[in-house]
Amino acid sequence: MLDDRANTRTPIWGGDRLDLDAYLERVGFRGRVEPGIDTLRELQYAHVTTFPFENLDAFLRRPMSLDLDTLQDKMVRGRRGGYCFEQASLFAAVLERVGFSVTGLLGRVQKGSTAVRPPTHAMLRVETAESAADGRSWLCDAGFGEGQLAPIELADGATAARGGWSYRLTRGAPVPGADGWLFHGLRGGEWFHLHSVTLDPRVPVDYTVANHYVSTHPRSPFSGRLWVQRLGDGLLHQLDGTTLSAFQPDTPVGEMEWTRQIATSVVPEVLAEVFGIVLDEADAAAVVDRLAAQQREAAVSAA
């Protein structure tokens, strides 16, 4: 049930066009919906554990629209997932509809690297009904794949944990001279730098520009590589092309709990059974054909 006290800020993320009931049904959220920290925590968990991270449309070289109606058709009604720009855009609309104050952010994916990476990862800064009194705001990442099951406070040294996964936020410079934040996940007992972010406000058109680059640039990992992840309590499944693997919070960085190669023909079945992504016959065939073509190209290059 939506709290009628939800704020009346001018919506920029499409919250006024969101089918909230359909979304809440999709993620299995029950109870009163209001813009407080408890609701934010439960929505974050429900969203991330429901929607897998996936780049199937980019992999198939299809347009990646961030239009809210398109996202609802795909992710809510079509029972698909999405990658960070899709996930953040949908989640921003949800939070906006409920009454949270939402600001878009762009981060730099590091995954342990010290190189300067482009700002290609979408996240959200969220203020709750309590923020006016306590001054606290929260970093929410709905589309990192191996990211957050819980929002984390924007405070130096803040930690959060849910479902066996732990996170930490520290002050740091994403690029020289920038004032920002470094986000870490606990992996195998060690803090692993996953991404960095500044608090420069971003609006939907900024996501549109970055989304176009990430989904179409020939050097983007998402335009030429099938990449699917699903995060749950104590376990993350991952599909990289035809390599299926999984790891747990105590799995050391760079290792997997288990890994196996699968045939291209069974990828649609794995997408359905492991990741909850059910493709129609045409899309399933397109994915199999593209993977098979990549394997033939790799064999020719290796010969």
Side-chain angles (χ1 to χ4, degrees):
M1 177 180 177
L2 179 65
D3 189 335
D4 291 335
R5 296 170 297 174
N7 67 45
T8 57
R9 296 181 182 91
T10 301
I12 67 169
W13 298 98
D16 56 327
R17 295 183 287 111
L18 179 86
D19 185 342
L20 184 61
D21 288 341
Y23 173 87
L24 296 177
E25 180 66 26
R26 171 78 162 99
V27 302
F29 191 95
R30 300 290 184 269
R32 187 171 180 81
V33 181
E34 56 189 7
I37 182 57
D38 291 340
T39 297
L40 180 63
R41 289 192 177 105
E42 295 310 311
L43 284 173
Q44 171 90 16
Y45 178 82
H47 183 106
V48 173
T49 55
T50 297
F51 297 109
F53 178 98
E54 53 109 326
N55 71 322
L56 286 165
D57 288 333
F59 177 69
L60 294 175
R61 297 172 179 171
R62 295 172 177 171
M64 299 285 290
S65 173
L66 301 183
D67 172 74
L68 182 61
D69 292 336
T70 301
L71 294 178
Q72 291 187 103
D73 284 342
K74 175 181 177 179
M75 299 175 65
V76 178
R77 304 181 187 98
R79 308 189 73 81
R80 285 272 303 278
Y83 77 160
C84 70
F85 290 105
E86 297 170 298
Q87 302 260 15
S89 296
L90 177 62
F91 198 49
V94 171
L95 298 181
E96 187 177 67
R97 176 72 178 89
V98 173
F100 293 95
S101 175
V102 184
T103 303
L105 303 174
L106 280 176
R108 301 170 189 270
V109 177
Q110 300 298 144
K111 290 198 173 182
S113 172
T114 58
V116 176
R117 298 282 180 80
T120 57
H121 179 53
M123 290 171 278
L124 304 172
R125 177 180 183 173
V126 182
E127 294 179 346
T128 70
E130 299 92 344
S131 296
D134 62 24
R136 303 168 81 185
S137 60
W138 304 84
L139 181 68
C140 291
D141 190 348
F144 192 64
E146 58 185 274
Q148 294 175 249
L149 288 183
I152 189 167
E153 184 183 357
L154 279 161
D156 193 19
T159 59
R162 184 82 184 249
W165 304 95
S166 299
Y167 322 102
R168 184 178 71 179
L169 199 63
T170 59
R171 296 302 298 264
V175 294
D179 182 19
W181 301 85
L182 311 181
F183 180 83
H184 303 80
L186 191 62
R187 301 287 187 269
E190 299 182 359
W191 290 110
F192 182 54
H193 183 193
L194 290 170
H195 56 69
S196 309
V197 65
T198 62
L199 300 186
D200 304 313
R202 306 291 182 167
V203 293
V205 69
D206 297 318
Y207 280 9
T208 298
V209 172
N211 171 62
H212 176 71
Y213 171 85
V214 173
S215 64
T216 64
H217 194 280
R219 294 185 62 184
S220 168
F222 299 118
S223 64
R225 170 188 182 189
L226 179 64
W227 186 253
V228 187
Q229 293 178 308
R230 188 166 194 176
L231 183 64
D233 290 347
L235 187 66
L236 180 137
H237 285 100
Q238 176 175 290
L239 181 64
D240 181 0
T242 55
T243 301
L244 180 65
S245 55
F247 64 85
Q248 299 173 318
D250 60 357
T251 306
V253 173
E255 298 183 16
M256 292 292 172
E257 190 69 17
W258 55 262
T259 298
R260 69 173 184 264
Q261 296 297 317
I262 62 174
T264 57
S265 60
V266 303
V267 166
E269 179 181 342
V270 169
L271 289 173
E273 294 183 356
V274 178
F275 300 96
I277 299 171
V278 179
L279 302 178
D280 62 27
E281 186 175 343
D283 285 350
V287 169
V288 170
D289 289 348
R290 178 102 203 273
L291 287 169
Q294 288 183 328
Q295 290 183 346
R296 290 193 296 270
E297 292 168 3
V300 170
S301 297

